[in-house]
Amino acid sequence: MECCRRATPGTLLLFLAFLLLSSRTARSEEDRDGLWDAWGPWSECSRTCGGGASYSLRRCLSSKSCEGRNIRYRTCSNVDCPPEAGDFRAQQCSAHNDVKHHGQFYEWLPVSNDPDNPCSLKCQAKGTALVVELAPKVLDGTRCYTESLDMCISGLCQIVGCDHQLGSTVKEDNCGVCNGDGSTCRLVRGQYKSQLSATKSDDAVVAIPYGSRHVRLVLKGPDHLYLETKTLQGAKGENSLSSTGTFLVDNSSVDFQKFPDKEILRMAGPLTADFIVKIRNSGSSDSTVQFIFYQPIIHRWRETDFFPCSATCGGGYQLTSAECYDLRSNRVVADQYCHYYPENIKPKPKLQECNLDPCPASDGYKQIMPYDLYHPLPRWEATPWTACSSSCGGGIQSRAVSCVEEDIQGHVTSVEEWKCMYTPKMPIAQPCNIFDCPKWLAQEWSPCTVTCGQGLRYRVVLCIDHRGMHTGGCSPKTKPHIKEECIIPTPCYKPKEKLPVEAKLPWFKQAQELEEGAAVSEEPSFIPEAWSACTVTCGVGTQVRIVRCQVLLSFSQSVADLPVDECEGPKPASQRACYAGPCSGEIPEFNPDETDGLFGGLQDFDELYDWEYEGFTKCSESCGGGVQEAVVSCLNKQTQEPADENLCVTSRRPPQLLKSCNLDPCPARSSIDSAWKACKVLC
């Protein structure tokens, strides 16, 4: 407050003037448009098609001039004109046909692409060299140049992007996609050399498919180019290209130049048919053809919806896949078509859990069958069908059919067949189980479980029946493996190498369940039940399960237990170690969504026990050279106490280690013994 008291009146006056000037400056910047009235409505478009211009006006509300423009433009009617509409600049020239020029009528043709003034209306009198500027400005919306979207507005050429917006610099890529990245087409270039032959008058150079762009061919030599076309509707055509000019071939513009020693063919595209460029041999000497064009990628991968769930309740899994799609015919085609284009990257499969609701308890149900009590007429009666001769893939079943008669008391007796001939006899054989047999379906591999070094990758292998449902019945011997090692070439900067890292959920969980959840088949096989809960709530415990040898009886569709020796192959383990997290006084709650926590627990369990060398066995000889073998034990790395060998990873067990011992010569014995010398090698 002292400084304010000491300030002179002149100083205060200057300070207040500064504040006032600052306030006016800020307000004038904020309210610069406040001096204008609101923009008016947009005018009618200058054209009805082919891209025109529309304008909007505003009034200046100030007595002085306003800063800025009182008119603004936008594009409109950005739809192609019908072919019969003709060129917009040509229409403006022809409007002067009925106006005399220097006392004479002329038919005026447009003069396009004037580099000096592209927005003036210059026209040429037909059949003469007379070029006249008939108007200083063309109508708004007229193209500045024939091969550009830029348009004339109020006599000035304005930039128009491929998005049809004024002032936009967005352009089409080589594939014809506005603001595209060039990924929807591929560059094709090559050279062809004609092969002269007395019996061969023409030869195909290259096939250029529908939709291709920026086509250019140069023939050097005495031969001649010609075109064959085939539309998507199957109509065929041919053009001999006998003279220089621009031609319309199946609605595609073809620019052809013919010189004494070469021919040049250009097509901007996109082509509206499949073109086959051919040459006619002149016979004098060989010719070469160089060609280049951008070919559309008409087959592309697309991701499918999720497959049906592997279980109807109790938790299952479903995957997506990828299918090859034909963009021209809008249908799915064989995968091999998408493999033709290295630019196509097949999407990786996605996996999700499904049908997580618990399965309801069921007591089954009884089916009530109708039964007729009395049949006054003889009838055909059939025995039940026999079991199908094959459980899938097509079989035969049969039955016996006889003519019977029933009296009023309900007694049924067999009678002659002629008594039943008033109705057709029922068939005695029929095909059965004509659906395809279940087969293994291996999905795409998952990404590697690591970002560097060695890891694992997984895939889902399902036994799929003819309905696409997860079922049993596939041979375990032909089941593809569900996990394999993978190596990421990026080096890992870690102090020590580890074994391949197991996958996180749900891949890890799925791999376990699919490996262990075997389905009963008609071949005797080991069927393990689910693992029991871990015997401890923290630390290391054990889990047990029952493993049965079972077989599916096809005739009754029931499962029977067999002696263990009836099943081939190794019996799955019925006991294993489990790790329930670290013991730290409180039991941490397990959240199934926290997959990283479980993953970390699996790693901790993997590193809690390891193999170590513990001394050597007694020397095999007391003198003259013997051998000792290193003792390998499974130890708890925290307590260094011995542990069950099942807790250590078998693949990490160190190799056998031997060393020599008691190398001193043995004392002299009898003459026979003294003849022996020490062995030259230890092992």
Side-chain angles (χ1 to χ4, degrees):
M1 296 297 293
E2 285 298 319
C3 66
C4 292
R5 290 196 187 103
R6 292 197 190 104
T8 63
T11 307
L12 286 173
L13 189 61
L14 288 171
F15 180 67
L16 290 172
F18 172 75
L19 288 177
L20 182 62
L21 182 62
S22 301
S23 172
R24 285 179 177 175
T25 304
R27 190 162 57 249
S28 66
E29 290 175 353
E30 293 175 1
D31 301 336
R32 179 177 295 170
D33 289 340
L35 302 176
W36 290 99
D37 195 2
W39 286 105
W42 290 100
S43 71
E44 187 178 352
C45 195
S46 63
R47 300 186 64 185
T48 57
C49 62
S54 176
Y55 64 86
S56 173
L57 300 172
R58 62 178 178 176
R59 276 188 315 163
C60 179
L61 301 178
S62 172
S63 58
K64 300 178 182 179
S65 61
C66 295
E67 186 177 347
R69 303 187 65 180
N70 70 330
I71 188 170
R72 60 178 179 173
Y73 294 92
R74 71 177 182 184
T75 59
C76 49
S77 299
N78 293 310
V79 293
D80 293 336
C81 293
E84 63 271 12
D87 178 64
F88 192 37
R89 190 181 288 265
Q91 293 174 16
Q92 296 173 57
C93 284
S94 62
H96 293 265
N97 290 349
D98 55 356
V99 178
K100 286 185 177 181
H101 178 74
H102 296 310
Q104 187 175 349
F105 291 105
Y106 293 97
E107 183 179 348
W108 297 103
L109 301 176
V111 176
S112 303
N113 302 324
D114 183 2
D116 298 324
N117 191 1
C119 290
S120 66
L121 183 62
K122 288 185 179 179
C123 306
Q124 181 177 1
K126 186 176 181 181
T128 72
L130 177 64
V131 175
V132 180
E133 184 181 279
L134 297 179
K137 299 178 184 178
V138 292
L139 296 178
D140 288 351
T142 306
R143 295 278 181 260
C144 305
Y145 307 100
T146 54
E147 298 299 325
S148 169
L149 292 175
D150 297 347
M151 67 171 57
C152 295
I153 296 179
S154 191
L156 297 174
C157 186
Q158 304 283 347
I159 295 176
V160 178
C162 62
D163 54 357
H164 296 285
Q165 299 301 313
L166 279 175
S168 170
T169 57
V170 176
K171 297 186 179 300
E172 288 185 351
D173 63 6
N174 291 320
C175 311
V177 178
C178 186
N179 204 23
D181 58 1
S183 62
T184 60
C185 65
R186 62 200 302 247
L187 178 64
V188 178
R189 66 194 320 164
Q191 181 170 302
Y192 170 87
K193 188 172 183 180
S194 64
Q195 304 292 326
L196 291 175
S197 172
T199 59
K200 197 174 184 183
S201 62
D202 57 11
D203 206 359
V205 176
V206 62
I208 308 176
Y210 173 95
S212 296
R213 294 171 178 264
H214 310 299
V215 182
R216 186 175 187 270
L217 293 96
V218 178
L219 179 145
K220 295 179 181 179
D223 297 329
H224 302 290
L225 292 173
Y226 76 98
L227 298 174
E228 285 186 0
T229 59
K230 182 179 180 181
T231 65
L232 294 183
Q233 292 74 33
K236 296 182 179 180
E238 185 174 318
N239 192 294
S240 60
L241 300 176
S242 56
S243 60
T244 296
T246 300
F247 310 97
L248 201 63
V249 180
D250 277 322
N251 290 325
S252 293
S253 179
V254 178
D255 181 50
F256 179 69
Q257 293 175 281
K258 190 177 183 67
F259 300 95
D261 58 343
K262 68 178 180 180
E263 295 179 353
I264 300 177
L265 176 69
R266 293 186 181 91
M267 293 183 285
L271 301 187
T272 54
D274 291 328
F275 277 66
I276 300 177
V277 181
K278 294 189 172 185
I279 59 173
R280 284 199 171 93
N281 297 328
S282 67
S284 57
S285 61
D286 292 345
S287 296
T288 59
V289 180
Q290 293 177 329
F291 54 86
I292 183 171
F293 60 91
Y294 285 91
Q295 173 186 345
I297 299 176
I298 59 173
H299 298 109
R300 299 185 71 87
W301 293 110
R302 70 174 183 182
E303 192 174 52
T304 66
D305 295 330
F306 280 96
F307 287 137
C309 194
S310 61
T312 56
C313 59
Y317 301 90
Q318 54 187 168
L319 280 159
T320 63
S321 185
E323 58 191 10
C324 187
Y325 191 69
D326 189 322
L327 300 178
R328 294 203 302 189
S329 62
N330 294 324
R331 60 187 180 92
V332 177
V333 295
D335 286 2
Q336 65 193 41
Y337 289 100
C338 285
H339 294 319
Y340 293 152
Y341 305 101
E343 299 86 352
N344 275 345
I345 299 175
K346 191 174 185 180
K348 288 285 185 183
K350 294 177 183 175
L351 178 144
Q352 70 179 15
E353 293 181 302
C354 52
N355 294 343
L356 301 177
D357 296 332
C359 295
S362 175
D363 295 330
Y365 66 93
K366 293 182 180 179
Q367 187 176 8
I368 307 301
M369 302 297 292
Y371 181 71
D372 293 335
L373 292 177
Y374 179 70
H375 292 277
L377 295 174
R379 68 180 187 273
W380 295 110
E381 192 170 81
T383 60
W385 290 105
T386 60
C388 191
S389 60
S390 177
S391 60
C392 60
I396 296 294
Q397 56 184 173
S398 60
R399 63 181 175 181
V401 177
S402 58
C403 184
V404 297
E405 199 171 45
E406 184 177 357
D407 60 21
I408 197 166
Q409 285 81 26
H411 300 129
V412 178
T413 56
S414 295
V415 294
E416 298 88 343
E417 286 195 353
W418 63 265
K419 291 186 177 181
C420 294
M421 287 301 179
Y422 65 91
T423 58
K425 185 177 181 180
M426 294 182 290
I428 60 173
Q430 70 176 9
C432 53
N433 295 344
I434 57 175
F435 49 83
D436 293 336
C437 293
K439 55 187 176 183
W440 294 112
L441 178 65
Q443 301 296 332
E444 291 287 333
W445 287 106
S446 73
C448 200
T449 58
V450 295
T451 56
C452 67
Q454 189 176 22
L456 292 171
R457 63 177 186 170
Y458 292 78
R459 65 179 173 183
V460 176
V461 177
L462 304 174
C463 183
I464 302 297
D465 65 9
H466 63 286
R467 299 163 299 175
M469 301 295 292
H470 185 198
T471 184
C474 297
S475 172
K477 298 177 182 178
T478 60
K479 181 179 180 182
H481 58 284
I482 68 166
K483 73 175 180 178
E484 69 178 15
E485 293 185 4
C486 51
I487 296 178
I488 304 297
T490 305
C492 294
Y493 300 101
K494 294 181 180 178
K496 71 169 189 174
E497 292 293 330
K498 289 189 174 183
L499 282 179
V501 180
E502 285 288 351
K504 297 183 181 182
L505 287 173
W507 287 105
F508 176 81
K509 180 180 176 185
Q510 167 142 20
Q512 279 192 323
E513 291 193 4
L514 286 179
E515 268 188 326
E516 297 160 1
V520 184
S521 66
E522 295 182 16
E523 293 290 330
S525 54
F526 287 113
I527 306 297
E529 295 184 359
W531 288 104
S532 68
C534 196
T535 55
V536 295
T537 55
C538 71
V540 179
T542 56
Q543 289 177 286
V544 295
R545 65 178 176 181
I546 298 173
V547 181
R548 292 188 172 93
C549 178
Q550 294 181 325
V551 68
L552 177 66
L553 304 178
S554 59
F555 61 90
S556 62
Q557 290 296 302
S558 61
V559 177
D561 292 337
L562 299 176
V564 175
D565 55 4
E566 291 287 334
C567 288
E568 296 182 0
K571 183 179 179 182
S574 58
Q575 182 175 345
R576 71 177 180 184
C578 54
Y579 181 64
C583 295
S584 57
E586 293 184 1
I587 301 173
E589 290 188 7
F590 172 68
N591 185 353
D593 296 330
E594 297 174 357
T595 58
D596 288 340
L598 178 58
F599 183 48
L602 291 171
Q603 283 186 316
D604 294 340
F605 176 52
D606 188 33
E607 297 179 0
L608 186 60
Y609 297 94
D610 205 355
W611 302 98
E612 289 192 17
Y613 291 114
E614 279 195 317
F616 287 84
T617 60
K618 186 178 178 182
C619 191
S620 61
E621 300 293 340
S622 59
C623 62
V627 176
Q628 287 179 290
E629 182 179 356
V631 178
V632 180
S633 300
C634 179
L635 297 181
N636 184 317
K637 294 201 290 186
Q638 292 181 355
T639 63
Q640 290 299 310
E641 294 180 356
D644 190 330
E645 290 192 355
N646 291 328
L647 298 177
C648 287
V649 181
T650 307
S651 61
R652 295 171 65 171
R653 186 183 183 102
Q656 184 185 39
L657 183 61
L658 302 175
K659 76 172 184 177
S660 56
C661 54
N662 294 343
L663 300 177
D664 296 332
C666 295
R669 291 185 178 179
S670 64
S671 59
I672 297 176
D673 290 344
S674 63
W676 294 102
K677 296 181 180 179
C679 188
K680 292 181 179 179
V681 293
L682 298 177
C683 60

